[in-house]
Amino acid sequence: MGRYGVDEAVILYNLNGESNWWHDINDSPLWQDRIFHILTALYGLVAVIALVQLVRIQLRVPEFGWTTQKVFHFLNFLVNGVRGLVFIFRRNVQDLHPEIVRHILLDMPSLVFFTTYALLVLFWAEIYYQARAESTDGLRPIFFTINVAVYSIQIAMWLVLWWKYIPVLVIISKMFFAGVSLFAALGFLLYGGRLFLMLQRFPVESKGRQNKLQEVGYVTVICSSCFLVRCIMMCFDAFDKAADLNVLNHPVLNFIYYLVNSDTQGRKNCKNRR
């Protein structure tokens, strides 16, 4: 009986050791720095790709000014560049006071990220309605109105939190980000799906039809999934301290969350290389 008791204790010890690896990495300053430096490199790479794409398009068609595609790549460069800087100075950011300053630095790129990919949805919507010979005059005002509303609401909550820290308002702010992400996911599904079905009806021999069909389908699935993951993660973040993304001692969770976003942006930029 004694031997079996020792064996069971050894098994339990091994199981506990395997289950604690997550906490060991999260609590290690060395691993915290390593993970955030890896994220810095990944986001820096995506920023460079976006900048190269912007320069290529400008050299190819300089006469068209700031087109939707150029603005998209510029915003991608801006979002990923700022996010990379935040990651490399993550330990300094964590010590900023008041706490709302840290929230603004960590969350502002998410707002610009929403604008960047809402611009892609606008681009697809314009193509869809133009192909159907329908007016697109109201699309851009709607795009600007939605963005002004999103930024105004979030900035108003930040100002209130700066004046007085209200825990309930922090939860509302995170749920607002979750709602914005869900809205973006639905936008991709709606107009990406419509554009995909429209391209399917084109003649098979149409030049570039198959490539465009694959690109639209691929980007629709990836981007809608990305925003849906953001929505779910922000919901957990709002109500579960163990899922908090704005703290330094959750590097593994941050790595998984931001790796999905980095991968999505990198793949989208690579798809635009033509």
Side-chain angles (χ1 to χ4, degrees):
M1 290 294 291
R3 187 172 64 83
Y4 288 114
V6 172
D7 290 342
E8 289 174 359
V10 171
I11 292 171
L12 285 173
Y13 177 80
N14 289 334
L15 288 174
N16 288 332
E18 290 176 2
S19 64
N20 285 334
W21 69 269
W22 179 286
H23 300 290
D24 291 340
I25 292 177
N26 282 339
D27 295 336
S28 168
L30 178 62
W31 275 106
Q32 290 171 5
D33 291 339
R34 282 177 177 174
I35 287 176
F36 284 113
H37 288 162
I38 291 171
L39 287 172
T40 298
L42 290 173
Y43 274 79
L45 177 62
V46 176
V48 170
I49 292 173
L51 182 61
V52 170
Q53 288 291 90
L54 176 61
V55 172
R56 286 178 68 247
I57 295 170
Q58 177 62 26
L59 293 176
R60 190 172 61 193
V61 283
E63 66 276 7
F64 287 111
W66 281 95
T67 62
T68 301
Q69 196 176 22
K70 290 179 184 178
V71 174
F72 173 81
H73 287 300
F74 172 74
L75 290 177
N76 245 332
F77 165 72
L78 186 65
V79 169
N80 288 284
V82 171
R83 185 73 80 184
L85 288 173
V86 170
F87 285 144
I88 202 168
F89 296 110
R90 186 65 181 84
R91 200 167 290 280
N92 302 91
V93 171
Q94 189 68 28
D95 296 331
L96 288 174
H97 294 284
E99 187 177 345
I100 187 59
V101 177
R102 185 172 79 242
H103 284 287
I104 292 173
L105 279 176
L106 293 173
D107 293 338
M108 180 58 80
S110 296
L111 285 179
V112 184
F113 181 85
F114 166 76
T115 300
T116 303
Y117 283 84
L119 192 65
L120 180 59
V121 174
L122 170 67
F123 182 62
W124 282 357
E126 288 178 334
I127 292 175
Y128 175 77
Y129 287 118
Q130 287 170 357
R132 292 167 59 89
E134 296 181 20
S135 175
T136 61
D137 293 342
L139 292 178
R140 287 180 180 265
I142 292 173
F143 169 80
F144 288 117
T145 301
I146 290 173
N147 276 273
V148 168
V150 168
Y151 279 77
S152 298
I153 293 171
Q154 186 57 55
I155 290 172
M157 286 191 283
W158 281 337
L159 290 174
V160 172
L161 287 169
W162 196 312
W163 171 64
K164 182 179 181 181
Y165 188 81
I166 306 172
V168 174
L169 192 57
V170 175
I171 294 175
I172 293 172
S173 176
K174 291 179 179 180
M175 290 304 297
F176 178 70
F177 268 108
V180 167
S181 297
L182 179 61
F183 181 75
L186 294 175
F188 271 104
L189 288 174
L190 177 63
Y191 285 105
R194 284 182 170 183
L195 192 58
F196 182 83
L197 293 175
M198 185 184 71
L199 289 171
Q200 275 190 322
R201 292 194 292 267
F202 281 9
V204 177
E205 63 274 6
S206 295
K207 183 179 179 181
R209 169 192 175 274
Q210 193 61 33
N211 289 337
K212 281 296 178 184
L213 190 64
Q214 290 178 355
E215 180 182 332
V216 170
Y218 181 88
V219 174
T220 297
V221 172
I222 293 296
C223 288
S224 58
S225 299
C226 168
F227 278 105
L228 190 58
V229 168
R230 288 171 68 90
C231 173
I232 294 171
M233 286 298 300
M234 290 308 298
C235 289
F236 279 109
D237 187 2
F239 298 104
D240 188 354
K241 287 292 184 183
D244 193 351
L245 294 166
N246 286 348
V247 293
L248 191 63
N249 60 346
H250 288 165
V252 179
L253 192 63
N254 274 268
F255 182 75
I256 295 170
Y257 175 73
Y258 289 112
L259 181 65
V260 172
N261 294 327
S262 174
D263 180 69
T264 299
Q265 295 172 78
R267 288 174 183 269
K268 179 65 188 78
N269 283 325
C270 289
K271 276 286 181 181
N272 280 333
R273 290 193 173 189
R274 289 190 280 274

